[in-house]
Amino acid sequence: MDSAESTASARGFIRALYGENDLVAVLAVARSDPTESPRDPPDDQADKEPVYQRIAPAGRIAADPFQRWLRHLNVQRYDIYLGMNPIRPGTKGRYKQDIAEVRRLQIDLDEAGPESLRRVLAAANAGQLPKPAIVVRSSQDRYQVLWHTDRHWTRAQAEDTMARLAQHYGGDHVTDISRVMRLPGFRNKKPDRDDAPVRWTDYAGPPVSREAFQHLPPLRVDRAPKTRCTRPRRAVALSQSERDWANVRDRLRAGEDPAQLVEQLARQRQDKPDPQYYAHRTVQRATESLLREQSPRGPTPQPARSTLRPDGPDR
């Protein structure tokens, strides 16, 4: 995609999800040390940062100045993400309590992505799942599936449904309503993703109700793993860096904002030669660790022939 096509793709995606005045979170995460300071950020902040987060009206994010800034960051090896649910007016955070209402359900199909997507679309064609609104191709063989919701979902109901979707169809276990997903029109800057363009396909699914997902199996509770050693082991003291990592990991799992965790940890670890870089790397490693955890899998049904195709027209 050239720059004009990429911008049109990003703008079309934002407008497919939001009205002009909806407040939306945008996140840019550096995948390596930025080589230069990003030019002309919307709030005139010009210092290098490992993570940028902005809360702004969707119309402003879709406009040319904001898009040029995001495109510059993407060239500088920042991954670009968009919140899936709107933010309450008067807040600057992206915690769960900052979400105005549930507008979207999503699952992230990374492992066995094409097969998982075929199963989702086959179930939709068979009337076993609602038709998706949008499918995003985040990189080779990796997909994000979105459903628009009606206005009768609570936060807990949405997160339970997303967790059951992920369990049944092999999706990522991170299912909180404050989650950000990749913004189409930009490139995937993870080292193993080959600078893949992020594209989206409109499947035109209507808003969905809770009842449409009630048939999904309930979440399974994992039993604690057994240990081979019956003798007590001598306790090994953790380093402060290990404690930082574990604490950040727990707080990420609870849905806290990665950008705010970076800033808090940088302030706490002024003993480090570069506290900002240390904090960014700790949050990044904790995030990657959570992503590697495999969610429980349900039985794999034989996929039906799908008329909703995963290789539909990309935008």
Side-chain angles (χ1 to χ4, degrees):
M1 291 189 291
D2 61 22
S3 178
E5 184 183 2
S6 298
T7 300
S9 176
R11 183 176 290 126
F13 182 79
I14 294 167
R15 289 173 175 167
L17 269 59
Y18 293 109
E20 290 286 301
N21 296 319
D22 284 326
L23 289 180
V24 185
V26 176
L27 200 68
V29 180
R31 293 302 174 189
S32 60
D33 289 333
T35 57
E36 61 177 274
S37 177
R39 296 186 297 265
D40 301 326
D43 61 359
D44 297 324
Q45 182 177 354
D47 293 334
K48 296 179 185 178
E49 295 183 11
V51 179
Y52 285 89
Q53 178 171 280
R54 298 291 183 270
I55 309 294
R60 183 184 173 210
I61 296 169
D64 285 341
F66 209 109
Q67 287 294 306
R68 284 196 297 270
W69 180 62
L70 292 178
R71 202 153 304 286
H72 175 74
L73 288 174
N74 196 221
V75 170
Q76 295 297 312
R77 301 197 61 77
Y78 282 78
D79 275 323
I80 310 300
Y81 300 89
L82 187 76
M84 292 293 101
N85 289 297
I87 303 295
R88 286 189 299 106
T91 181
K92 297 182 179 180
R94 190 173 52 82
Y95 296 97
K96 292 182 184 183
Q97 62 267 27
D98 298 324
I99 299 300
E101 61 181 342
V102 175
R103 297 262 191 95
R104 230 82 52 201
L105 304 177
Q106 71 273 346
I107 52 173
D108 202 351
L109 305 175
D110 276 1
E111 190 172 345
E115 176 60 23
S116 294
L117 180 60
R118 280 193 290 270
R119 291 176 57 206
V120 169
L121 298 181
N125 286 325
Q128 299 165 357
L129 271 183
K131 186 179 182 181
I134 290 169
V135 174
V136 176
R137 181 185 181 275
S138 60
S139 63
Q140 181 69 33
D141 295 337
R142 291 174 170 86
Y143 302 92
Q144 300 164 353
V145 184
L146 311 181
W147 288 267
H148 300 313
T149 62
D150 64 23
R151 299 301 175 90
H152 304 292
W153 290 76
T154 67
R155 298 170 183 176
Q157 290 163 350
E159 293 188 345
D160 176 73
T161 299
M162 289 188 289
R164 288 190 289 143
L165 280 165
Q167 172 182 273
H168 193 62
Y169 292 101
D172 191 327
H173 75 287
V174 183
T175 55
D176 61 88
I177 58 169
S178 62
R179 189 177 187 185
V180 294
M181 306 288 271
R182 287 188 180 275
L183 178 55
F186 296 90
R187 291 187 175 272
N188 191 323
K189 294 299 181 179
K190 281 191 174 179
D192 59 343
R193 304 299 162 84
D194 300 322
D195 208 37
V198 181
R199 303 177 183 272
W200 68 288
T201 301
D202 187 356
Y203 280 83
V208 298
S209 67
R210 291 174 48 211
E211 290 73 23
F213 299 93
Q214 286 185 344
H215 65 285
L216 290 171
L219 291 176
R220 295 189 297 271
V221 179
D222 289 342
R223 290 180 295 181
K226 296 180 180 179
T227 177
R228 297 180 185 177
C229 181
T230 57
R231 292 178 297 174
R233 294 186 177 182
R234 182 168 55 91
V236 178
L238 295 177
S239 69
Q240 184 58 52
S241 294
E242 289 170 324
R243 288 195 292 270
D244 288 342
W245 178 84
N247 178 54
V248 166
R249 196 170 182 271
D250 288 342
R251 293 173 68 181
L252 285 170
R253 186 185 283 112
E256 294 196 34
D257 184 358
Q260 293 191 16
L261 290 177
V262 168
E263 294 307 315
Q264 291 170 13
L265 186 57
R267 288 195 297 269
Q268 293 167 4
R269 296 306 308 270
Q270 291 298 308
D271 57 310
K272 291 289 183 180
D274 188 341
Q276 195 74 23
Y277 176 76
Y278 168 78
H280 165 62
R281 286 291 299 147
T282 300
V283 173
Q284 184 180 51
R285 286 174 52 243
T287 301
E288 291 169 352
S289 171
L290 288 174
L291 291 174
R292 285 195 296 270
E293 289 184 353
Q294 294 186 6
S295 60
R297 299 295 181 85
T300 304
Q302 191 67 27
R305 182 176 181 81
S306 176
T307 56
L308 287 175
R309 294 169 45 206
D311 57 348
D314 285 324
R315 296 184 178 227

